[in-house]
């Protein structure tokens, strides 16, 4: 019974109810019934939802997701990103072209089709004219963010925020992962003891991006040739014969692009080697925010940065700076668990008395999301 969060990812969650849960509760939360696709909301401590305003509850929520499945007494679902487009790319597909200039005030055109999100905070950026069709909002937003070097996140109160990682999450780490210390707190840092397993690969690496902006039509009269833009990098990687390694990646535009060269370059920037750590930590820190910068100090795994001294609990460490890209944490007995749906007004169903909470460690995904996961 846990929650998995990922940067710009769908993630997942599972809640197990106790055997003594009344049958009327199980009947009420049938996922094909009134609570279908409701929000799951988790708070750090139980709260009296009947005596608080809807906005006040969401403001203190640790997590919110989408309810989709009931199996026996086990509820499960995904993160709020599933409203934009789920892990199977289901969502509100733009059947008609959605066009706009994506500057500080133009982001709403992509989200118009799904009005549950409130645009709370978007980092100013230059105007970029583009159009999308036959894609979900999540796919469209991925292109817009790639163009500007941005990311997006959805807050539990259904707020949409967008900007660079530094804009969304700050630049000063508040979490320190250590493998040779019991953790603790010092100098604004929360230290978490854990064991780190390193993963390094070049499976996504490419030397050249071929960004196809028009498919072409050889049957047309006259024939229409495809159009593309290329971005490549100088590299020293070689094939088995010692020649420069040819590793091209073909990427198709969704509809039309105002600056295909910028998108090709952005895609090339993502096609690099991956270096990540999976950290098994002992507890869930309140300062944990998926997407935030973190320090990792694992000298036995050669995870260190001699140019980055950090004073912590009487020691000078040299941790490597990275980012927390995902986390899986248990839903403990001390938390509050609720379902929320919106009709004329918000309705809350308190599941806290029936949840079979669990204790256990936290798994942190640092540097990159594990391959193949959303």
């Amino acid at each position: 019974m846990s929650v998995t969060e990922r940067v710009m990812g769908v993630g997942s969650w599972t809640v197990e109810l106790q055997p003594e849960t009344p049958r009327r509760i199980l009947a009420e939360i049938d996922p094909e019934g009134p609570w279908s696709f409701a929000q799951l909301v988790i708070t750090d401590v139980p709260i009296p939802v009947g005596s608080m305003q809807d906005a006040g509850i969401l403001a203190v929520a640790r997590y919110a997701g989408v309810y989709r499945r009931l199996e026996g007494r086990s509820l499960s679902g995904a993160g709020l990103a599933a409203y934009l487009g789920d892990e199977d790319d289901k969502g509100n597909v733009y059947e008609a072209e959605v066009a706009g200039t994506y500057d500080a005030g133009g982001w709403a055109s992509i989200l118009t089709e799904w009005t549950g999100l409130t645009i709370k905070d978007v980092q100013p950026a230059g105007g970029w004219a583009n159009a999308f069709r036959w894609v979900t909002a999540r796919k469209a937003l991925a292109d817009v963010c790639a163009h500007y070097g941005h990311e997006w996140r959805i807050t539990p109160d259904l707020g949409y925020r967008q900007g660079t990682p530094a804009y969304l999450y700050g630049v000063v780490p508040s979490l320190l992962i250590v493998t040779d210390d019991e953790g603790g707190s010092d100098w604004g840092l929360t230290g978490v003891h854990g064991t780190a397993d390193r993963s390094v690969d070049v499976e996504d690496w490419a030397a050249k991006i071929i960004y196809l902006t028009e498919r072409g039509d050889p049957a047309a009269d006259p024939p229409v040739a495809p159009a593309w833009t290329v971005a490549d990098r100088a590299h020293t990687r070689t094939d088995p014969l010692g020649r420069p390694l040819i590793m091209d990646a073909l990427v198709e535009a969704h509809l039309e692009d105002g600056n295909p060269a910028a998108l090709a370059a952005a895609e090339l920037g993502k096609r690099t080697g991956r270096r990540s750590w999976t950290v098994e930590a002992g507890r869930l820190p309140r300062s944990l925010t998926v997407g935030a910068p973190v320090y990792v100090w694992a000298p036995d795994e050669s995870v260190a940065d001699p140019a980055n001294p950090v004073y912590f609990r009487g020691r000078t460490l040299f941790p490597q700076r990275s980012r927390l890209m995902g986390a899986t944490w248990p839903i403990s007995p001390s938390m509050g668990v609720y379902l929320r749906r919106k009709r004329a007004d918000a309705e809350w169903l308190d599941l806290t008395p029936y949840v079979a909470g669990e204790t256990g460690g936290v798994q942190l995904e640092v540097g990159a999301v594990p391959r193949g996961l959303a």
Side-chain angles (χ1 to χ4, degrees):
M1 192 174 75
S2 61
V3 170
T4 296
E5 302 179 75
R6 293 196 170 93
V7 170
M8 294 196 300
V10 174
S12 63
W13 58 267
T14 303
V15 169
E16 189 75 25
L17 301 183
Q18 300 173 5
E20 300 80 13
T21 302
R23 290 187 178 273
R24 62 175 178 80
I25 295 293
L26 297 175
E28 185 174 1
I29 61 176
D30 186 318
E32 287 192 326
W35 292 93
S36 177
F37 290 99
Q39 278 182 270
L40 174 94
V41 178
I42 299 175
T43 56
D44 284 313
V45 296
I47 57 178
V49 292
S51 59
M52 290 184 63
Q53 294 291 326
D54 183 62
I57 302 171
L58 294 175
V60 299
R62 171 181 279 272
Y63 174 82
V66 184
Y67 173 45
R68 302 189 304 193
R69 182 186 181 99
L70 176 65
E71 186 171 354
R73 296 186 305 277
S74 179
L75 292 75
S76 60
L80 294 179
Y83 285 134
L84 298 177
D86 68 11
E87 63 272 41
D88 297 323
D89 206 25
K90 299 192 306 295
N92 197 342
V93 175
Y94 299 141
E95 298 179 38
E97 181 178 312
V98 177
T101 299
Y102 306 113
D103 52 23
W107 308 99
S109 58
I110 283 184
L111 300 171
T112 301
E113 301 265 350
W114 190 74
T115 57
L117 286 182
T118 300
I119 300 179
K120 295 180 62 175
D121 187 17
V122 172
Q123 184 176 9
W128 174 50
N130 198 2
F132 296 95
R133 190 177 185 186
W134 306 121
V135 295
T136 61
R138 189 163 169 241
K139 283 289 185 68
L141 289 168
D143 273 5
V144 173
C145 286
H147 179 82
Y148 289 115
H150 283 184
E151 293 180 358
W152 55 262
R153 62 182 298 200
I154 302 176
T155 53
D157 59 354
L158 300 179
Y160 177 82
R161 300 190 65 214
Q162 181 179 306
T164 63
Y167 184 84
L168 293 178
Y169 304 104
V171 296
V172 179
S174 61
L175 188 65
L176 169 66
I177 300 165
V178 293
T179 60
D180 64 348
D181 190 282
E182 291 305 313
S185 298
D186 192 19
W187 289 89
L189 280 173
T190 298
V192 176
H193 173 72
T195 57
D197 292 325
R198 181 172 54 176
S199 173
V200 183
D201 70 69
V202 290
E203 293 178 12
D204 285 339
W205 184 86
K208 181 168 69 176
I209 297 296
I210 302 173
Y211 195 81
L212 192 64
T213 52
E214 295 180 11
R215 293 173 180 264
D217 185 359
D221 186 18
V224 178
W228 63 88
T229 300
V230 172
D232 56 11
R233 59 161 57 96
H235 67 89
T236 58
R237 303 179 193 271
T238 58
D239 66 14
L241 297 179
R243 303 171 302 188
L245 178 64
I246 298 175
M247 192 66 67
D248 302 337
L250 179 64
V251 179
E252 293 190 23
H254 287 142
L255 186 60
E256 64 182 52
D257 294 304
N259 191 343
L263 285 174
E267 182 66 25
L268 185 65
K270 295 187 292 185
R271 299 300 183 108
T272 60
R274 285 166 43 98
R275 186 175 299 270
S276 62
W277 300 273
T278 300
V279 179
E280 298 289 343
R283 61 187 180 87
L284 175 65
R286 287 185 177 272
S287 60
L288 183 147
T289 301
V290 171
V294 297
Y295 286 135
V296 182
W297 170 244
D300 293 342
E301 293 287 334
S302 300
V303 182
D305 181 0
N308 184 38
V310 173
Y311 185 80
F312 182 71
R313 300 184 68 198
R315 304 169 59 198
T316 301
L317 310 181
F318 297 89
Q320 192 168 116
R321 180 189 291 266
S322 188
R323 284 184 68 200
L324 181 62
M325 302 301 291
T328 298
W329 43 271
I331 302 173
S332 73
S334 63
M335 292 179 171
V337 180
Y338 315 91
L339 288 180
R340 174 190 180 271
R341 64 181 179 182
K342 191 71 178 290
R343 298 294 187 265
D345 297 307
E347 300 177 36
W348 291 80
L349 179 62
D350 189 353
L351 297 178
T352 307
Y354 315 114
V355 171
E358 69 176 31
T359 58
V362 180
Q363 186 178 81
L364 306 178
E365 298 161 5
V366 179
V369 172
R371 189 173 302 284
L373 299 178

